[in-house]
Each structure stands twice: as C-alpha cells, then as structure tokens.
Amino acid sequence: MAKDIEASGPEAGEFSAKDYTDPPPAPLIDAEELTKWSLYRAAIAEFVATLLFLYITVATVIGYKHQTDATASGPDAACGGVGVLGIAWAFGGMIFILVYCTAGISGGHINPAVTFGLFLARKVSLVRALLYIVAQCLGAICGVGLVKGFQSAYFVRYGGGANELSDGYSKGTGLAAEIIGTFVLVYTVFSATDPKRNARDSHVPVLAPLPIGFAVFMVHVATIPITGTGINPARSLGAAVIYNNDKAWDDQWIFWVGPLIGAAIAAAYHQYVLRASAAKLGSYRSNA
C-alpha cells in the first residue's frame, strides 16, 4: 500500500503524479506494422498456441466421453475418465501454460474474444487484431484436425468436441451463459495485465497467467452443462469445421455473438468505469 500515491504538485515531493505509466493507445490502423517481423512472429505464436490448446482440450473431451461410454468401456465406465472437473482443468491449465509461453511474444490472447476486447480498449491495432483472429481460427481448425487424425475411431462418435446448446436450455440461456462467461475471462485478462497493478504489485507479471487460467477453469465448471463452454470463438469454430454437423453449425452464432458481447462489456467496464474512477480519484487527490 506504500506505493499507492497519485498526488501531484509541490506537496507531492519526490513522487510523480502516478507511479505507473499507461502505454499510449494503439493506432486504429497502423500500415507500418505490416512491415515488421514482430507482427508475423506474434501471429505465428497465436496460431501455434491455439493449435496446441485445441489439440489437448478436444482430445481430453473425446477421451473422457469414450472412457465413460458403457457400451465401449463396460459397466464401470461411469467411474472412469477425468470427469467434468478434469475437462475444466484441461482448458484452464492449457491457457495458463500457453499464456505463460506466449505473453512476451504476442500477448498470449489465444482467443478472438480476448483480442476483440483488447482492440476495443485500444491495446492492439485493427491490423494486429484481424491477423491474430485469423491465426487463432486457423490454429483451432488445425488443432481439431490433429485430434480427428489421431482419434478417428472416436471423433465423430463422441461429437468431435464441438460446442452445442444442451437439451433443455433455450438459445437465450446459452447466449447469456457465453456473455457472462466471456466477461469473466476478459475482465480477468484486463485486471491481470493492468499496468497500474503491475507497478504496485511486483508479483503480478509473474502470476498473470494464473488468474486467467483459473478464470477459464471456473467458467467451464459453470457452463459445461449449458453450452459445453465456448467463451472462445476460435475453439467453437475449429471443432464445428472439422466435425461439420448441422447442430454444431446451427448453434455456432451463439459462440460468436455471446463472447464478443461479453468481451465488449468487459472492455467498457474496465477502461471506462474502473480506470476512469481511478483517474478521477488521482485528480481529486492532486487538488486536495
């Protein structure tokens, strides 16, 4: 708490107006960025990370369904497999690992909804956002393609890991679940990477992937029974493309509209409510 100083003026002494520096807003369109290798290296990192994310998580889903299939694994099948918690841990754990690995290269988005939210907050340019989203979607398709190649006997039988609205739930309920779940994720991303928090809590840069991974885990625990949990349009698209089932395509809009709305709400809340309030408090202190 000793660092929590935002005063300015003569009475501020050796302290500056803020003990942290906000990066300048990213330009809306930065054509010069297209000439930099760092942009393409970051896009490649997003492609590979999303490929690995989908490979591990979808393989976990299909493996669990096979292990708990009484017709394939016998009468004790219900006691086998990793369970829903295991699936949630697979998603959350892989996000933790991959954000840790790619944060210094691409920012570790691995999700078009995260990229969209950061774009709305002017953290990334439109050029970078579009390239990331394309790379993420292609990576997701390739990742699920690998699962189908390695587990072709079970892939179609167990639904290809595709997100679909569960029986008994309305489309409105599924959409709301995706909005709220993505809000939790993107809000956590903003909080974990806030330069103000990084400046005042030195451990935050090291631990940033941890709360993001936990957010993914907790959202999966809550919404797997409803939609299978999307909160990542690339994850839903990749599975739908490879599985190519009518039900998966019919519900696909939920897994784009919901996450994008949730990301937009999280960006607005963090940037224009929480950060704006902090700026006003700093102004009030400096005038006191």
Side-chain angles (χ1 to χ4, degrees):
M1 296 299 292
K3 290 185 178 181
D4 192 11
I5 296 174
E6 291 187 357
S8 62
E11 70 279 12
E14 62 180 306
F15 297 104
S16 60
K18 295 190 296 185
D19 62 350
Y20 65 95
T21 302
D22 283 315
L28 180 61
I29 299 176
D30 185 4
E32 184 180 353
E33 198 171 24
L34 290 169
T35 65
K36 297 179 179 178
W37 163 243
S38 60
L39 172 64
Y40 301 101
R41 180 183 63 182
I44 293 170
E46 287 291 309
F47 171 85
V48 172
T50 314
L51 183 154
L52 295 174
F53 176 60
L54 267 292
Y55 171 71
I56 295 296
T57 55
V58 172
T60 301
V61 170
I62 293 174
Y64 164 70
K65 290 184 176 180
H66 173 63
Q67 290 172 323
T68 54
D69 183 356
T71 63
S73 303
D76 295 328
C79 298
V82 296
V84 172
L85 284 178
I87 293 173
W89 275 121
F91 279 89
M94 279 304 293
I95 286 296
F96 168 72
I97 293 167
L98 294 170
V99 170
Y100 176 82
C101 292
T102 61
I105 301 171
S106 66
H109 298 190
I110 321 170
N111 184 337
V114 171
T115 300
F116 180 65
L118 293 174
F119 165 70
L120 293 180
R122 300 292 300 278
K123 304 294 186 183
V124 296
S125 68
L126 178 61
V127 171
R128 183 173 292 264
L130 291 176
L131 192 59
Y132 274 20
I133 291 172
V134 171
Q136 290 157 359
C137 290
L138 291 176
I141 293 170
C142 292
V144 181
L146 285 177
V147 177
K148 183 176 181 180
F150 293 150
Q151 301 192 29
S152 57
Y154 306 129
F155 184 83
V156 176
R157 179 175 180 177
Y158 298 116
N163 288 127
E164 298 176 356
L165 185 65
S166 300
D167 294 338
Y169 292 98
S170 68
K171 292 185 182 295
T173 299
L175 181 63
E178 289 296 310
I179 291 173
I180 296 170
T182 310
F183 173 86
V184 171
L185 169 59
V186 179
Y187 175 45
T188 304
V189 170
F190 275 110
S191 298
T193 58
D194 191 328
K196 178 179 178 180
R197 180 169 297 185
N198 290 348
R200 298 178 181 184
D201 298 303
S202 61
H203 62 278
V204 167
V206 177
L207 295 181
L210 186 60
I212 296 171
F214 263 108
V216 172
F217 166 72
M218 295 305 298
V219 171
H220 274 77
V221 170
T223 58
I224 281 176
I226 303 173
T227 61
T229 308
I231 69 171
N232 184 335
R235 177 263 185 271
S236 301
L237 178 67
V241 167
I242 302 300
Y243 182 46
N244 198 26
N245 175 271
D246 288 343
K247 172 65 172 171
W249 284 119
D250 289 344
D251 294 340
Q252 184 66 199
W253 68 273
I254 294 174
F255 301 105
W256 280 87
V257 175
L260 294 182
I261 292 176
I265 296 172
Y269 176 61
H270 185 268
Q271 293 297 109
Y272 304 112
V273 176
L274 300 185
R275 292 307 301 274
S277 297
K280 289 179 181 178
L281 178 60
S283 176
Y284 171 78
R285 287 177 175 174
S286 65
N287 293 328

